[in-house]
């Protein structure tokens, strides 16, 4: 059963509140792209900045996904 974005949003907000850099990823295989892979190369900017809530919500709606990945390293406090 696929979750709705609204049903998982509280968990995402908890991670954002902990200054974890999140990016939307595919929640299922999409053509040749495997599940859990990021969309395009725009995710690289989140290695140096944390997306805000509104921006992440918009991207997740745009890509029709409820899956996120954490960007590890300095941006997320190591």
């Amino acid at each position: 059963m696929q979750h709705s974005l609204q049903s998982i949003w509280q968990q995402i907000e908890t991670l954002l509140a902990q200054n974890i850099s999140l990016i939307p990823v595919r929640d299922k295989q999409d053509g040749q792209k495997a599940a859990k892979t990021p969309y395009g190369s725009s995710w690289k900017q989140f290695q140096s900045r944390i997306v805000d809530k509104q921006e992440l919500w918009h991207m997740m709606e745009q890509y029709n996904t409820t899956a996120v990945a954490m960007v590890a390293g300095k941006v997320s406090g190591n």
Side-chain angles (χ1 to χ4, degrees), residues 3-70:
H3 298 282
S4 72
L5 182 53
Q6 191 165 2
S7 71
I8 62 151
W9 192 250
Q10 184 175 357
Q11 296 167 352
I12 290 172
E13 283 187 323
T14 298
L15 293 170
L16 290 172
Q18 295 172 17
N19 293 319
I20 303 295
S21 183
L22 301 175
I23 58 168
V25 295
R26 290 169 178 80
D27 53 2
K28 58 189 168 295
Q29 184 167 339
D30 180 12
Q32 297 294 321
K33 302 288 186 173
K36 301 181 184 175
T37 57
Y39 293 93
S41 62
S42 63
W43 70 271
K44 291 181 181 188
Q45 66 181 302
F46 301 113
Q47 290 176 317
S48 59
R49 78 172 182 92
I50 295 176
V51 65
D52 66 35
K53 287 190 267 187
Q54 293 79 16
E55 186 178 12
L56 183 59
W57 178 280
H58 174 74
M59 287 189 297
M60 292 178 76
E61 278 190 316
Q62 175 185 356
Y63 295 124
N64 191 28
T65 188
T66 56
V68 294
M70 295 179 195

